[in-house]
Amino acid sequence: MDEKDDEQLGAFDPNIPEEGPSAPPPGWLDCVTGYDEPKGGGDQLYPPPPAYNPQPENDRNASVPNVRVPQVSEDVAREALLKFVGSKWSKSSKPARNLTFKELQPITMYRYRLETYTESRSSAWEMEPYTGQVVDGPQYGMSPPPWDVPVQQPQRYTDVILKVRVPHSSFVKTCHRCHGCGRTRCTHCAGRGNRRCPFCHGHGRRTTGHGRNNRAGNNRCSSCQGRGRKRCTFCHGHGHKTCPTCQGNRNLMHFIQLTITWKNHVFEFVPDRLPEFPLKKFEKVSGDAFFVDESILVYPIVGFPDQEICDASKKASQEHHSKFSPQQVPCRILQQRQTIELVPITHAFYSYSGKDYDYFVYGLENKVFTPKYPSACVIL
C-alpha cells in the first residue's frame, strides 16, 4: 500500500487545528502595573519596600539571668536505664536492676538557638478554563502591588506557603492551545481516527513462511480484519481530542497568582565539651528554656557565664542580619527569637559484677546513651 492510498484511508477534518504550545507564547498576556512577566518560566520574586525592613541599632545587647544546674537522683537514673534497655530486645534488664552507683556527675550543657522568621512574595501567571465565572479584571480597579495584597498571617515560626489571586488581574482570552476550537488534532493518527495496522503493516494480510517461501497467501490479518488499519486508541477513532488546557471550553481566564512564603530559619549551637557523647543526641531532646528574647530584631547576648554561648549569639545575629537583608534576599524579617536552654545531662558511673561502666542521662525526657552495657550472663 503506497503513501497515496494511505492518505485516502480514514476521515480527516481540516477545521480541527494542530495542538499549540501548553504555555501562552510571549506577549500573549496583558501587562499589569507592578508585576513583571517572569523570565525563564519561573516565579518573579519581589523585594519588600524599604518601609518593611527593620534597621538594627548599634551597640545593643541582651543580658541573661543566672541558672542552676539540675540534679538527677539515683532512682531517676536507674529508671531511665531500665526504660532504655526495655526498648532494646538484645539487652537484659538484670544489670540495670542490680547495678551499684559510684557517682552521679551533673554536667552544665547549654543550647543556643536563634530563629529568624521571614516572608517573601513572588508571582506567576496562571490560567483556568473559562466557564462563565466572575472575572475580577482591571474594570474594578488597579491591582495592588505584591506587598500590598492583604493576607492572613500564619502562626509565628511555622513554615507556610500560601497562594492567592491578585485582585483585578484577571482577563479572558481565546485558548492558545486549540485556537478557540475546544479540540485539537490527534497527533498519534494525524487526525484520521485510524492508524496503520502494526501486525500486517497496512497490507491486510499476514505473511507466512520464511526466506524465499515468504508469501502473503490468503491469510487475512486477524488484528485489523483485513482492512489494513486499526482504530486509533488515543482518540478512540475520532481523529481529535478535547483540548487539555481549556477542557473544551474554548476560552481561558488568565490571572496573576501571588505566592507568599513564610519560613523559619534556625541557627543552633551546643558547645562540644564531651568527646564521649555525640552532640547529635541533643537534637531529639528538649531542655529548659530559661532565657527567651523575642523582637523584630534581637541583639547579641553579653555577660553570660558561658562565653561560647555569647560568641555563638554574636555570630548568629550577624549572620542572619546580613543573610536576610533585602540586599541579599528579596524577603523581609518579621520576627526574631533567641533562646538559651539548659539541657540536663548527668554522667552516671556504676559497677556490676566487679566491673566499672558508665552511661549518660540527658534531656528533659531522661534519654539514655551508653557506650557499653554489661551482659547479664556471667562466665564461670
Side-chain angles (χ1 to χ4, degrees):
M1 185 178 293
D2 58 18
E3 185 178 352
K4 183 177 180 180
D5 294 331
D6 184 62
E7 291 179 355
Q8 292 175 349
L9 290 173
F12 176 76
D13 188 351
N15 295 319
I16 298 177
E18 293 183 356
E19 187 173 301
S22 58
W28 184 267
L29 304 174
D30 293 351
C31 294
V32 178
T33 303
Y35 294 86
D36 300 326
E37 187 171 346
K39 298 178 180 179
D43 285 15
Q44 178 69 41
L45 281 164
Y46 299 96
Y52 285 74
N53 302 315
Q55 299 299 319
E57 299 178 29
N58 295 327
D59 303 323
R60 280 284 301 276
N61 298 298
S63 57
V64 182
N66 294 324
V67 63
R68 184 174 61 85
V69 179
Q71 301 283 338
V72 172
S73 66
E74 290 189 0
D75 290 341
V76 172
R78 189 188 304 274
E79 183 62 32
L81 186 60
L82 283 168
K83 184 178 179 181
F84 170 76
V85 298
S87 65
K88 310 291 182 181
W89 65 271
S90 61
K91 299 184 184 299
S92 170
S93 62
K94 183 178 178 181
R97 290 195 306 269
N98 300 323
L99 61 81
T100 301
F101 283 109
K102 300 180 70 175
E103 182 185 3
L104 294 177
Q105 186 181 82
I107 301 170
T108 303
M109 187 63 68
Y110 299 111
R111 176 168 56 197
Y112 172 80
R113 180 185 289 116
L114 172 64
E115 298 170 272
T116 299
Y117 196 52
T118 63
E119 177 185 351
S120 61
R121 298 195 174 197
S122 62
S123 72
W125 280 102
E126 296 293 337
M127 56 191 172
E128 64 183 22
Y130 177 64
T131 58
Q133 63 267 42
V134 175
V135 181
D136 181 16
Q139 67 271 24
Y140 296 106
M142 289 185 62
S143 295
W147 286 94
D148 288 348
V149 176
V151 293
Q152 181 70 37
Q153 294 281 338
Q155 182 180 351
R156 289 287 169 89
Y157 309 109
T158 57
D159 292 347
V160 176
I161 296 177
L162 177 66
K163 296 181 182 293
V164 297
R165 192 170 300 194
V166 174
H168 318 321
S169 67
S170 303
F171 59 88
V172 176
K173 272 197 171 185
T174 300
C175 177
H176 56 274
R177 194 165 192 174
C178 66
H179 305 285
C181 183
R183 298 176 295 175
T184 58
R185 191 181 303 166
C186 178
T187 57
H188 298 278
C189 65
R192 294 184 179 89
N194 52 52
R195 308 172 69 195
R196 187 192 298 270
C197 177
F199 296 98
C200 68
H201 306 290
H203 297 292
R205 299 189 179 278
R206 305 284 290 274
T207 58
T208 59
H210 302 280
R212 294 181 178 179
N213 296 324
N214 188 12
R215 57 190 177 81
N218 294 319
N219 297 314
R220 188 175 68 166
C221 178
S222 58
S223 179
C224 64
Q225 304 301 318
R227 289 189 292 269
R229 302 186 70 84
K230 296 187 66 175
R231 187 175 67 166
C232 177
T233 57
F234 295 92
C235 65
H236 306 289
H238 298 297
H240 57 79
K241 295 186 294 184
T242 300
C243 177
T245 300
C246 68
Q247 298 175 9
N249 291 283
R250 302 185 178 186
N251 294 308
L252 293 172
M253 183 163 72
H254 300 267
F255 56 91
I256 297 177
Q257 182 170 266
L258 188 67
T259 300
I260 303 99
T261 302
W262 292 276
K263 187 168 181 60
N264 192 35
H265 308 270
V266 180
F267 174 99
E268 194 169 280
F269 172 77
V270 178
D272 189 3
R273 295 172 184 160
L274 296 173
E276 63 271 38
F277 185 87
L279 282 181
K280 284 192 172 182
K281 295 289 182 181
F282 286 119
E283 295 176 0
K284 297 183 179 180
V285 295
S286 55
D288 178 20
F290 63 90
F291 172 76
V292 179
D293 179 25
E294 186 171 0
S295 184
I296 295 178
L297 292 179
V298 298
Y299 297 90
I301 293 170
V302 295
F304 189 63
D306 192 326
Q307 186 58 39
E308 283 191 80
I309 296 297
C310 295
D311 294 341
S313 173
K314 183 177 180 180
K315 177 185 176 182
S317 179
Q318 291 175 346
E319 281 188 6
H320 278 206
H321 287 177
S322 173
K323 184 177 181 180
F324 303 113
S325 65
Q327 292 77 19
Q328 299 294 330
V329 182
C331 69
R332 66 165 172 163
I333 296 177
L334 295 176
Q335 195 85 349
Q336 285 190 314
R337 177 172 63 187
Q338 61 179 345
T339 59
I340 301 178
E341 292 177 280
L342 176 63
V343 184
I345 180 169
T346 299
H347 200 174
F349 299 88
Y350 68 96
S351 62
Y352 178 76
S353 295
K355 294 184 178 181
D356 292 334
Y357 300 91
D358 68 303
Y359 66 96
F360 294 89
V361 181
Y362 63 100
L364 294 179
E365 298 83 358
N366 288 333
K367 296 287 186 179
V368 166
F369 170 72
T370 174
K372 187 178 180 181
Y373 183 75
S375 171
C377 300
V378 179
I379 301 177
L380 301 176

